[in-house]
Amino acid sequence: MSNNKTTYEAAYAKLRTAYITRLEGNITDLTKWIRDVSATPLSKEELLNMQSLAHGLSGSGTTFGFPNVTDAGRNADIFLEKMIRAIRGDDDFIKGDEHPEMLPLLQSIHDACREAVTNYKEQAALEIIPATHEEKLNFEAKKNLFVLIVDDDINLRNMISMKLEQRGFIAAGAGSDQEMIVSMEKRLPDLIILDLNLPDNSGHEVLRRLKSEPAHAAIPILMLTAAAKEADVVSALHSGASSYIVKPVDINRLSERVEKISANMRRTVLVADNDQLILALLQSKFKGRGFNVVLTNNGLSTFEHAQRVKPDLIILDIAMPGMDGISVLKMIRNDKKTKDIPVIIASAKTTPADIAAGMAAGAQDYVPKPFNADDLVHRSIALLKKEKANDT
Amino acid sequence: MTDTAHLSQILYVDDEPDLRMLAQLALESMGGMKVSLCDSGAAALQALATLKPQIILLDVMMPEMDGPALLQEIKKTPGLYNGPIIFLTGKANADEIVHLKSLGAFGVIPKPFNPMTLHNDVKAMWVAFHEQQ
């Protein structure tokens, strides 16, 4: 739970930054209205626009930590609703100077937004970016890895859990196939330790089922077998198990093996998108699956990051400031250091011509926006698995 | 009984993109739930054809089809969705709560919501819904 909280707080900070950008946009609208409200008559449409803004702020300000924005928005929302009820038709107008409450109400939302933006920027200036950012990312990624231990022996489960938690993993146990299914609905594990001889369903069957479901097929599985029966081991590896350990379990060897498998999983994804909300969401989703995540919101710096970080995968938006995604992709493909990095384009440009242009520039996949973040992460994992298979 | 123990599927309908993202983040990372998002009543009706959420969280004031209109559409269509519908509203006064409940809402969560405790509010509604059944 404390780990989820860390992920949550990082993502919340990003969402809050995006909210500040929205408030800055609102300040621009409010400044214009404040200037015009006494001079020009207001149509129903303009009043509805004002009310929509006031209502939105009243419902969101406190959620993002700005209660004054909510209060000012709520007062204006109530007043504007009365004005809209009083207006007689689409052609009717209201004169702002005949309603002396109007100007101060708009002014108070403006001031509350301005105050929120100023406070936020002062706070942000105080935060120091750690020098060892990449190191920190590695540590966080390891902390995030979730290992599920499926064995009917509760003592063994507990012993393995304790050992892995000491080494910085999150571990949970399941005593049966059924318990495993329930646990996986709550949170998908990054690694499964599976006993081959489960009471209610043989381990082989569980293994085959896991490997046949697209959402689970990419999860590495470490098998435990009661004895080194050659046929058992061959069959398990054939069904897709990553590795096996013979019982009675040597707990230190087991934890070394888990470290080794998970080291391969600590891969880096570079996400390039000019939308802060998408960056925050994908960061949280990828981190949840054990990835290191590097973010950028600018086309030009995407290529620089790709060269420097050498990520295992790039998620690339097309419409970005600095340089568009297609040009970035062409640069990536033309550079010796970056040419083999798989790229998934995630874009709101979705005509067949756009998609053809993206694939021609060298993308491995093209995901239309709006996308489901979980699907995108699954596709990424599947793509990385495919790339790895092609390498060897 | 098994149902009350395991709340995992939520549908959140709101026209405000910031709040959609934050609600999803809060419920998924703090509450361990899976949240599907819709930005309008029409999108929610379409989504319900395939999604089977356990709880629907619904913003009251949305353009085109507002929350109450969407609730009526859902109630009108047999078999579409029979679980609890919870409204989120900035006007959570006693009259408004009575009014929304008379339309068939199970409960009301005031807006602006607190992202740190939203998952607890939703879970409390879920438990209350099953106690009433």
Side-chain angles (χ1 to χ4, degrees):
Chain A
M1 197 62 204
S2 65
N3 175 63
N4 286 345
K5 208 172 157 186
T6 315
T7 315
Y8 166 81
E9 278 167 2
Y12 175 68
K14 289 266 162 37
L15 287 168
R16 202 158 174 257
T17 310
Y19 188 70
I20 286 292
T21 312
R22 173 178 143 186
L23 291 187
E24 284 176 326
N26 292 339
I27 290 171
T28 312
D29 290 341
L30 286 159
T31 310
K32 190 180 152 294
W33 285 334
I34 288 165
R35 196 187 60 213
D36 295 349
V37 73
S38 308
T40 41
L42 299 164
S43 69
K44 187 175 178 184
E45 195 191 339
E46 282 168 305
L47 288 170
L48 282 169
N49 285 341
M50 288 180 188
Q51 195 210 359
S52 160
L53 187 144
H55 181 81
L57 292 174
S58 79
S60 59
T62 302
T63 298
F64 286 94
F66 308 113
N68 292 347
V69 171
T70 285
D71 291 346
R74 182 171 289 148
N75 290 336
D77 181 20
I78 294 166
F79 173 76
L80 286 162
E81 191 166 311
K82 272 191 233 149
M83 301 271 282
I84 290 161
R85 284 216 195 105
I87 209 161
R88 278 181 300 277
D90 286 349
D91 303 330
D92 195 11
F93 288 93
I94 276 189
K95 286 188 180 141
D97 52 2
E98 288 171 12
H99 298 274
E101 309 96 313
M102 187 94 162
L103 188 59
L105 283 170
L106 290 177
Q107 189 70 49
S108 74
I109 316 180
H110 173 279
D111 294 350
C113 290
R114 170 70 62 206
E115 181 198 44
V117 171
T118 310
N119 287 350
Y120 173 82
K121 290 197 168 156
E122 279 169 4
Q123 270 173 28
L126 292 175
E127 280 171 27
I128 301 154
I129 297 156
T132 55
H133 192 55
E134 309 241 331
E135 257 179 62
K136 204 175 151 218
L137 282 179
N138 268 322
F139 181 58
E140 280 182 3
K142 185 178 169 189
K143 275 202 307 181
N144 267 339
L145 289 181
F146 175 45
V147 182
L148 180 62
I149 304 138
V150 188
D151 196 303
D152 56 323
D153 178 352
I154 184 164
N155 293 324
L156 182 64
R157 283 203 311 269
N158 289 344
M159 203 165 75
I160 298 174
S161 289
M162 269 167 61
K163 182 74 190 174
L164 292 179
E165 302 235 352
Q166 270 173 19
R167 302 288 277 255
F169 295 93
I170 301 163
S176 65
D177 185 19
Q178 204 50 46
E179 280 181 35
M180 179 185 80
I181 291 168
V182 170
S183 167
M184 286 178 68
E185 275 172 12
K186 284 191 211 146
R187 177 170 177 184
L188 270 187
D190 300 286
L191 178 89
I192 298 173
I193 299 175
L194 177 63
D195 180 16
L196 262 184
N197 305 303
L198 284 177
D200 52 351
N201 194 342
S202 109
H204 287 286
E205 273 176 57
V206 173
L207 176 63
R208 270 192 290 274
R209 197 190 60 228
L210 287 171
K211 289 294 165 191
S212 67
E213 285 169 23
H216 301 151
I219 303 171
I221 295 171
L222 178 60
M223 303 290 297
L224 302 179
T225 83
K229 287 188 214 150
E230 207 184 344
D232 255 15
V233 171
V234 169
S235 146
L237 293 175
H238 189 73
S239 303
S242 305
S243 186
Y244 69 97
I245 291 261
V246 178
K247 280 185 178 180
V249 173
D250 174 346
I251 201 86
N252 289 320
R253 264 192 69 206
L254 174 78
S255 95
E256 273 165 32
R257 195 73 65 86
V258 170
E259 294 253 4
K260 218 170 172 181
I261 297 172
S262 65
N264 292 328
M265 291 162 48
R266 239 165 278 153
R267 289 174 300 203
T268 301
V269 59
L270 169 62
V271 184
D273 200 302
N274 67 337
D275 186 336
Q276 290 289 335
L277 298 173
I278 288 182
L279 290 181
L281 183 66
L282 288 181
Q283 182 182 41
S284 133
K285 294 281 181 189
F286 273 111
K287 274 196 170 183
R289 295 303 304 269
F291 280 80
N292 294 334
V293 186
V294 179
L295 304 175
T296 174
N297 59 6
N298 177 291
L300 208 55
S301 66
T302 305
F303 179 63
E304 288 162 16
H305 282 304
Q307 276 186 318
R308 191 175 52 80
V309 180
K310 287 197 225 71
D312 300 279
L313 174 72
I314 301 173
I315 308 290
L316 186 63
D317 186 18
I318 290 187
M320 281 189 294
M323 184 185 277
D324 73 279
I326 298 290
S327 307
V328 174
L329 180 51
K330 285 179 182 160
M331 281 174 76
I332 288 170
R333 290 289 172 257
N334 279 327
D335 186 276
K336 220 191 289 173
K337 274 194 262 175
T338 58
K339 68 181 173 56
D340 294 324
I341 302 172
V343 172
I344 299 180
I345 294 180
S347 171
K349 290 174 179 285
T350 53
T351 67
D354 291 326
I355 295 172
M359 298 310 276
Q364 270 64 34
D365 201 351
Y366 199 110
V367 178
K369 275 185 187 172
F371 55 72
N372 175 319
D374 291 314
D375 283 352
L376 180 57
V377 172
H378 287 147
R379 275 192 199 223
S380 302
I381 291 168
L383 176 62
L384 286 171
K385 208 182 162 206
K386 206 174 101 193
E387 295 284 323
K388 203 176 164 194
N390 289 345
D391 283 352
T392 49
Chain B
M1 193 59 212
T2 50
D3 275 357
T4 54
H6 199 64
L7 171 62
S8 61
Q9 299 287 334
I10 314 267
L11 177 64
Y12 181 85
V13 189
D14 198 325
D15 60 316
E16 297 248 358
D18 305 335
L19 289 181
R20 281 201 302 276
M21 291 280 199
L22 185 54
Q24 182 180 39
L25 172 70
L27 293 172
E28 290 194 347
S29 63
M30 308 297 290
M33 304 159 186
K34 172 100 183 68
V35 182
S36 305
L37 302 175
C38 288
D39 60 2
S40 69
L45 282 177
Q46 208 178 359
L48 281 173
T50 49
L51 277 180
K52 292 293 161 227
Q54 293 164 298
I55 277 194
I56 298 180
L57 301 179
L58 194 50
D59 183 28
V60 170
M61 192 165 146
M62 292 186 287
E64 313 282 330
M65 186 190 293
D66 66 6
L70 172 58
L71 179 139
Q72 274 159 356
E73 278 301 315
I74 293 171
K75 300 264 174 199
K76 232 165 54 186
T77 319
L80 190 61
Y81 173 78
N82 299 318
I85 294 178
I86 315 292
F87 275 116
L88 288 137
T89 175
K91 296 175 193 143
N93 57 45
D95 288 350
E96 182 68 5
I97 293 173
V98 169
H99 168 66
L100 291 172
K101 285 194 172 173
S102 75
L103 296 177
F106 178 73
V108 176
I109 292 176
K111 252 185 167 181
F113 58 79
N114 178 347
M116 295 298 281
T117 57
L118 182 63
H119 67 284
N120 286 332
D121 298 341
V122 173
K123 272 180 196 152
M125 292 277 179
W126 178 244
V127 170
F129 177 76
H130 283 275
E131 279 170 3
Q132 232 181 57
Q133 293 294 297

